[in-house]
Amino acid sequence: MPPDVELAEAAIVEHYPRLVRLAYLVLPPALGRNRRVLTAHSLAQRALPRGRRGSGTEAAAAAAVQGGVPGQRGTPGADSGYAYVRLRVLRAALEAGIPLTFRALPRRAQLPPLLPQVWGLRLFPRSGGAEELALDQWLATLDGPGRAACVLRALERLPEPEVLRVLTEAGVTNPAAAVAESGDPANDSLFASPEFDPCVLQARPTDLLRRRRFTRAALAAAAALAVCGALLALPGGGWGADGAAAPPYALNAAAEQALDPGKLVRVAPAAWRTSSRTGFSTWPARGNRTDDAELLRRALAVWARPGRAVVASATPGTPPGPPMGPPQLLFAGTVDQAVVVLLYDGLRVVRYAEPRTGTSVAALDFARTDAASAESATALVLSRVDGNVRYLTAPWVTGAGLRDLLKPGEAPAVLKLGQDGITPPVASPAPAGNCTGWNALALTGGGATRLVTDLGELTPARLTSGAPGAERDVAEGAELGDWSRIACLLPSVRSHGVRSVNAWTYAKQPLPEGDGTATWLCTRAETWAGTEDRVQAQFLAPGAPLAAQAAKAEGSPACGAREPRVLAGVLWKSKAGQWYVLAAGSAQFASLSVSGGGVNGAANGNRLAVKAPEGAQVELAGKLTDGTKAGVLR
């Protein structure tokens, strides 16, 4: 029996966001995000049963049953009216997924909602990350009962017997199959993401010119014409063949404005010579297929709405969403066994790749490149085949060479650039654990030669040397010698969105017992995002082929322009077999001290050496020249 209408109304008002989210997730994705939002709100509001409000006597009697006080608010229960309105919402959402036929009259839930309506705007929830996108695509493969089972388990936290009961009451013919189809509960927490919250919305305008043109028409006719006209006005006479792109329902209004290949930004070939700022924004469009409108359309469509056959990746800190307007074309052409398109939207460089034959599969790579300059916009990865990498160099690059960082005494091998500035394939640095060589590109242009290396991303990382705030390109023999002993530590910053890596010799330390002089370096890998920079302090013992990592930190300002200091220590064994605690800080340190593990000692200046037992666990501390205390890098 339906509950009192006042009780049902209270349940809807109190749990409205929960009911709307339930309807949104169960509704078929083919409706499109805008219509799903409006339909979900409509179903939740129509869940109120027909009838009159209860009398004051009935309300008093209900209160008396509960001990004379109102029931606790917050947790929905079967006796609060929530279970009843939830069942009505669930049943209507399942009916909305039934296809329309001529054999039966349409049900109310199968038709577009009369209310609520929002004129002139497209509404959709905030976009989530890759996990939410994958969950949304997986839900699209389920039928309505399967999605309902997922939602009842993940959002309502119902046990399986209760899920079976609710599905049976909602009219599902085979609830056991729906529960079996609902998948692994490991991703249930994602259902609470803002990606699936139709109460927290983004708004974008519809076609403004078309709205102005038909202002005198009826509102219903204007809405229908706007939707149909928008589809017909797209390039190519509709959606057409978009290769590996998802169906149009996955498109949002912002991406819709950037699907026309004719609106791509193309920079003049010589713009970089006179521009006040030199970066990716001054790269001209290059490649042998820059006029292939079908290829460019597929690339834009896949970027706006990648389908299931698209292999997508993004460096940390890079939003993978669609462009907010027509992007800039950097390259379109055939490279090795693939067709590649490089696009730039001011924040990111996006690489689209498809096979030479066929368009059903594609790859999409995102890399953050905002605030790129001539120093950091020297090259982009075009292809990776069999451990080899081919680059597209900046238009100001006039020469390229291949240098093995582990062989600092050898001159770089000359690379012949192609007509569009494409390098021949070069071997990528070996993975961690097999560091027999480390290749870097020496790119000459703009009056300087810069070293860049492949860290597994779309943009190679620039290698520099020097104190924080005074970094310079690696050119001198001593700097190349230092890099030859720390290059094999670069795998620790691979695939982290690294923009540049700077190596700074911050101290030289005479070793006890006359065993030579050690070098202390600080290596800082700065990311494009600027929030996940990685810092390492390294100890180079005399005669050792490689440096040893003394300390590391993530997200620390140490060893950078904001905090140009560092302190680290190691346990070191002399040639005679005596163990020492060695520590060194940058020039800002006036004294150092060590304690713990049976070791106590102090030294004036920025270097310290104290005898210690093997395996001692000690604490290092330092005092700066201004009298403040500072700890070790961690």
Side-chain angles (χ1 to χ4, degrees):
M1 179 177 178
D4 182 81
V5 67
E6 290 183 335
L7 197 60
E9 181 187 27
I12 293 175
V13 171
E14 182 173 358
H15 304 291
Y16 186 77
R18 191 187 192 101
L19 293 168
V20 177
R21 186 189 289 259
L22 182 148
Y24 179 83
L25 287 165
V26 176
L27 285 169
L31 293 178
R33 302 177 74 189
N34 182 69
R35 183 174 167 186
R36 284 170 69 193
V37 166
L38 297 178
T39 303
H41 283 273
S42 176
L43 297 183
Q45 294 171 17
R46 294 209 308 257
L48 185 68
R50 297 182 180 275
R52 296 178 299 173
R53 293 183 178 271
S55 65
T57 303
E58 294 171 339
V65 172
Q66 297 188 17
V69 295
Q72 180 180 354
R73 296 173 63 89
T75 303
D79 59 345
S80 67
Y82 174 76
Y84 175 77
V85 295
R86 178 183 65 192
L87 181 62
R88 287 176 60 89
V89 171
L90 183 63
R91 184 180 293 128
L94 290 172
E95 290 177 351
I98 301 175
L100 290 170
T101 64
F102 292 103
R103 298 180 180 180
L105 292 175
R107 304 182 186 183
R108 186 179 182 185
Q110 293 176 278
L111 300 175
L114 296 177
L115 292 174
Q117 290 291 346
V118 180
W119 304 108
L121 291 176
R122 298 172 68 94
L123 303 177
F124 47 91
R126 298 176 60 183
S127 298
E131 292 180 339
E132 287 84 351
L133 177 61
L135 177 60
D136 191 37
Q137 293 173 345
W138 177 74
L139 286 174
T141 65
L142 305 180
D143 57 12
R147 291 192 297 273
C150 287
V151 174
L152 291 174
R153 184 195 67 222
L155 282 183
E156 299 300 300
R157 306 295 185 187
L158 298 182
E160 184 172 326
E162 187 69 9
V163 173
L164 292 172
R165 185 191 65 78
V166 174
L167 290 177
T168 302
E169 291 184 359
V172 175
T173 57
N174 192 352
V179 171
E181 188 186 12
S182 63
D184 184 5
N187 294 326
D188 283 358
S189 61
L190 293 177
F191 283 84
S193 168
E195 170 87 9
F196 309 114
D197 188 354
C199 289
V200 180
L201 301 173
Q202 298 185 83
R204 294 292 185 273
T206 56
D207 193 326
L208 301 177
L209 293 178
R210 191 172 299 278
R211 280 167 45 199
R212 181 179 296 175
R213 193 178 305 155
F214 292 99
T215 52
R216 295 183 181 181
L219 292 179
L225 289 174
V227 173
C228 297
L231 292 177
L232 293 175
L234 287 174
W239 290 107
D242 292 336
Y249 69 78
L251 180 70
N252 62 36
E256 194 172 295
Q257 307 300 320
L259 287 178
D260 186 357
K263 294 182 180 179
L264 284 172
V265 178
R266 299 169 186 257
V267 175
W272 62 272
R273 298 181 184 274
T274 57
S275 174
S276 59
R277 177 183 172 186
T278 307
F280 292 113
S281 60
T282 61
W283 279 32
R286 290 175 284 177
N288 58 2
R289 298 184 65 174
T290 55
D291 296 325
D292 189 337
E294 291 299 320
L295 168 64
L296 299 178
R297 172 172 168 72
R298 286 195 300 274
L300 291 169
V302 170
W303 182 0
R305 42 190 174 88
R308 299 177 188 173
V310 176
V311 179
S313 68
T315 57
T318 305
M324 297 302 294
Q328 177 185 341
L329 177 62
L330 303 181
F331 179 87
T334 303
V335 184
D336 297 326
Q337 302 303 314
V339 180
V340 178
V341 178
L342 292 178
L343 301 165
Y344 175 65
D345 68 351
L347 172 66
R348 304 161 295 178
V349 168
V350 177
R351 176 182 177 271
Y352 168 85
E354 65 182 27
R356 282 197 175 192
T357 57
T359 61
S360 59
V361 296
L364 198 64
D365 301 312
F366 295 86
R368 185 170 176 175
T369 56
D370 51 319
S373 60
E375 292 79 14
S376 53
T378 53
L380 290 172
V381 170
L382 275 181
S383 70
R384 299 180 189 275
V385 179
D386 298 331
N388 294 322
V389 186
R390 196 188 292 269
Y391 298 89
L392 175 68
T393 59
W396 53 85
V397 171
T398 57
L402 184 64
R403 176 185 288 279
D404 187 347
L405 293 180
L406 300 190
K407 300 176 181 177
E410 296 184 4
V414 177
L415 298 176
K416 185 178 180 180
L417 297 177
Q419 181 179 0
D420 290 323
I422 302 175
T423 69
V426 298
S428 180
N434 187 26
C435 190
T436 58
W438 194 279
N439 286 335
L441 282 182
L443 301 177
T444 301
T449 297
R450 300 181 176 92
L451 276 183
V452 298
T453 191
D454 178 26
L455 292 181
E457 299 171 359
L458 190 55
T459 55
R462 180 190 177 201
L463 304 181
T464 60
S465 295
E471 297 88 348
R472 58 185 179 275
D473 292 304
V474 180
E476 300 178 2
E479 296 169 346
L480 290 171
D482 289 343
W483 268 107
S484 70
R485 302 171 74 181
I486 62 176
C488 289
L489 297 176
L490 285 173
S492 63
V493 297
R494 190 194 296 266
S495 300
H496 285 94
V498 173
R499 177 176 186 163
S500 63
V501 184
N502 182 63
W504 169 39
T505 300
Y506 69 87
K508 296 275 190 180
Q509 182 174 23
L511 297 176
E513 304 178 14
D515 282 357
T517 301
T519 302
W520 292 85
L521 286 99
C522 186
T523 303
R524 182 178 180 85
E526 294 194 350
T527 60
W528 287 96
T531 57
E532 298 296 332
D533 296 356
R534 283 165 162 74
V535 185
Q536 294 183 15
Q538 293 140 347
F539 176 76
L540 281 69
L546 300 175
Q549 180 177 281
K552 64 178 181 178
E554 295 183 12
S556 170
C559 208
R562 290 197 172 188
E563 192 175 294
R565 65 173 186 268
V566 62
L567 170 63
V570 295
L571 276 173
W572 172 80
K573 185 179 181 181
S574 69
K575 294 179 181 179
Q578 175 62 52
W579 286 92
Y580 289 84
V581 172
L582 301 181
S586 52
Q588 295 87 348
F589 284 86
S591 63
L592 305 178
S593 62
V594 60
S595 61
V599 180
N600 282 286
N604 292 325
N606 63 336
R607 295 169 297 186
L608 176 145
V610 179
K611 290 182 179 181
E614 181 179 358
Q617 300 291 324
V618 300
E619 290 290 333
L620 286 174
K623 184 178 292 186
L624 303 178
T625 54
D626 61 3
T628 59
K629 295 181 179 180
V632 296
L633 178 68
R634 63 180 60 184

